[in-house]
Amino acid sequence: MSTNAPVTDERLTPEARRSVVGGILSLFVDSFDIYLPALVLPAVMDYFEPDSMSATTKVTLVTVIFVVTLLGRPIGGPIFGNLADKIGRRRVTLITGVGFTVVTLLIGLMPGYATWGYGSIVGLILLRLIGGIFLGGGYAGPVPLAIERSPMRRRGLVGGVMAAGAPAAITLISIIQLVVLERFPDEELKSWGWRIPFFFGFLLGIAYIAYYSRVPEVDLKELKKSREGNRAPIFELFSRRNIRGFGQVFLLMTGMWFAAQVVLSFMPGLLVGVLHQNPSNVSTLEIVANVATIISMILAGVLGQRIGRRKLLLGCAVAITVGASLAYLVLVLLARSGAGFLPIAFVAFVLPNAPLGCLVVYLNERFGAGVRSSGYGSVYTLSLILPALYSVWITVLQTVMPYEYTAVVLIVLGGVLFFAGAWIGPETRGTVLLGAPAEPAASRADTASE
């Protein structure tokens, strides 16, 4: 496929179709490998830890294993984003795909404390860090390439379906986990049953690599031509003409992740551990809410294509600030009183996550071709850092308010930041991503966007 001509019509060439399907698969496979250890390993951590270890230390280790992955992603995003703009999106996708696929297999083969002692825990933490770096880089190649090659009028649908890969992966992991937990006795689960989801993830990665090897590369000459001089893409990204645009989408994504992280990571533990709700009811909530999130992300992508992405994002910001925060407050009150909480928890879960279906496209439209992978990979992962420290902010907040209500502050903060980021940014619908013109008229005035 010639990438020198703008992709603006309704047709999907075979090359474009492979790129789009590859992008859709990428977020599914990436999310599967990100959340697999976080959902599976806590149930079998006794395999990696001595019996003499205190309960608080065990909880701390589980947290460390999760956090190192979050730390790895902001490292991998800028590094591999820069490489994708320099040596090609397809090539970097294959490099990162091989990286996190091998790491997934190695985790599944890890010996336990009885064999390696504390070395098993150290090895597990190192593998999660390395895996996080590759996973952070996994966003930088396939997603921009899929958006670039999508027909302009179908771009919103493609972005929505790609974003839906994340909740789809979490749903699949939850189903696999339930099957494994039910099929294996406790001893078999801790010795080898827990490895099955990781071997499945390895095979999934192999299939993804095999498919993406058939996706054609982007025109590297065009990417280089759109940059100033011979500067590395990552330096061009933070140059004077790009830094304001980067700051705008960084603010936007930080707000989104603040709200989303609270409901994804904090709310289930609060319901079970603090509000003493039935774990099976909470698990049911997570599965049903993730299915609803799949639908809502696709709808957000399609609606953003119809009414404009900026308008859609502003509406989502209001829904998060007002709707999600009120839903969370009602959720806590209902759970404390013993009333049914599932319907309102469903609302609190879905609203902060739905905008990602539009954001996947918006972020790529905010960067010029020569720095698009660097921009998307960097902002998507770097904006996670402060929200990922939600436990720190909640610890501080609980000194001045009841623990169960602290998350409301973070949801409102996320909604306000999200609104501010959307408000100061331009409309991007209609942007030509490959070939001139590089930007729609609405964004040319903002010198930071290209």
Side-chain angles (χ1 to χ4, degrees):
M1 176 181 179
S2 173
T3 57
N4 292 321
V7 183
T8 58
D9 59 31
E10 292 280 2
R11 294 171 296 125
L12 269 177
T13 65
E15 292 86 352
R17 187 176 296 109
R18 290 194 193 104
S19 301
V20 170
V21 173
I24 292 170
L25 289 174
S26 71
L27 278 181
F28 177 83
V29 175
D30 285 359
S31 298
F32 188 93
D33 281 358
I34 287 170
Y35 291 104
L36 177 62
L39 295 177
V40 172
L41 288 180
V44 294
M45 281 304 293
D46 288 345
Y47 177 75
F48 296 96
E49 301 163 339
D51 294 335
S52 59
M53 184 175 287
S54 67
T56 55
T57 304
K58 290 182 178 181
V59 172
T60 301
L61 281 175
V62 172
T63 303
V64 169
I65 291 169
F66 180 70
V67 168
V68 292
T69 307
L70 297 178
L71 294 176
R73 290 163 74 184
I75 297 172
I79 291 174
F80 287 106
N82 179 70
L83 281 177
D85 285 325
K86 194 170 184 178
I87 68 174
R89 318 230 196 278
R90 172 184 175 272
R91 189 177 299 176
V92 164
T93 299
L94 292 175
I95 292 171
T96 56
V98 170
F100 63 67
T101 297
V102 170
V103 168
T104 300
L105 175 63
L106 291 177
I107 292 177
L109 294 173
M110 277 289 295
Y113 179 81
T115 305
W116 276 15
Y118 286 104
S120 64
I121 300 174
V122 174
L124 186 60
I125 292 173
L126 287 176
L127 285 174
R128 286 299 283 160
L129 176 62
I130 296 168
I133 293 172
F134 282 115
L135 289 165
Y139 299 112
V143 176
L145 189 56
I147 297 297
E148 287 169 338
R149 286 180 171 161
S150 300
M152 188 178 291
R153 293 186 181 180
R154 296 185 183 178
R155 207 179 281 163
L157 175 62
V158 170
V161 174
M162 276 199 294
I170 296 173
T171 303
L172 178 60
I173 294 170
S174 299
I175 293 172
I176 293 174
Q177 184 182 20
L178 286 174
V179 171
V180 170
L181 289 174
E182 289 182 1
R183 293 281 182 180
F184 294 98
D186 189 59
E187 288 302 316
E188 291 184 7
L189 176 67
K190 290 181 180 179
S191 62
W192 62 273
W194 65 271
R195 304 179 192 271
I196 293 176
F198 288 90
F199 295 154
F200 180 84
F202 170 73
L203 295 176
L204 193 63
I206 293 294
Y208 171 60
I209 295 166
Y211 180 88
Y212 213 87
S213 64
R214 300 171 60 240
V215 175
E217 185 58 270
V218 71
D219 188 337
L220 296 179
K221 291 181 180 179
E222 181 176 350
L223 301 188
K224 185 175 181 180
K225 186 169 59 178
S226 69
R227 295 193 292 270
E228 289 183 348
N230 293 316
R231 281 192 295 188
I234 194 68
F235 294 130
E236 174 75 8
L237 174 66
F238 292 105
S239 67
R240 185 175 180 180
R241 74 168 182 162
N242 287 304
I243 191 63
R244 285 179 54 206
F246 181 88
Q248 179 253 318
V249 290
F250 180 85
L251 181 66
L252 183 73
M253 288 303 296
T254 299
M256 187 265 177
W257 290 130
F258 256 117
Q261 278 293 319
V262 169
V263 297
L264 279 171
S265 304
F266 178 71
M267 189 173 74
L270 176 78
L271 288 170
V272 175
V274 178
L275 299 176
H276 309 296
Q277 300 301 305
N278 188 312
S280 63
N281 288 343
V282 176
S283 297
T284 301
L285 162 69
E286 291 183 277
I287 293 174
V288 173
N290 272 300
V291 172
T293 302
I294 293 171
I295 299 170
S296 67
M297 285 180 174
I298 296 173
L299 290 176
V302 172
L303 188 58
Q305 187 71 47
R306 181 177 292 274
I307 69 173
R309 306 198 212 291
R310 180 175 180 271
K311 188 181 295 185
L312 185 280
L313 293 175
L314 287 170
C316 288
V318 174
I320 292 172
T321 308
V322 179
S325 58
L326 287 177
Y328 184 90
L329 281 173
V330 175
L331 161 67
V332 173
L333 293 173
L334 289 176
R336 293 183 68 179
S337 66
F341 65 90
L342 288 178
I344 198 68
F346 178 88
V347 174
F349 188 99
V350 172
L351 286 181
N353 291 285
L356 193 59
C358 179
L359 283 167
V360 166
V361 183
Y362 184 82
L363 296 180
N364 280 281
E365 290 175 337
R366 286 295 283 130
F367 297 105
V371 296
R372 185 164 294 128
S373 284
S374 299
Y376 178 74
S378 297
V379 78
Y380 196 92
T381 55
L382 291 174
S383 60
L384 270 165
I385 296 176
L386 290 177
L389 298 173
Y390 67 89
S391 59
V392 175
W393 317 132
I394 284 174
T395 300
V396 173
L397 288 169
Q398 72 173 334
T399 62
V400 295
M401 62 188 302
Y403 178 80
E404 58 266 36
Y405 294 109
T406 52
V408 176
V409 177
L410 299 183
I411 294 174
V412 172
L413 172 63
V416 171
L417 294 177
F418 192 102
F419 186 88
W423 181 263
I424 64 177
E427 175 55 61
T428 62
R429 183 180 55 164
T431 302
V432 178
L433 299 181
L434 291 175
E439 293 185 21
S443 22
R444 287 195 192 108
D446 182 353
T447 58
S449 62
E450 179 63 20

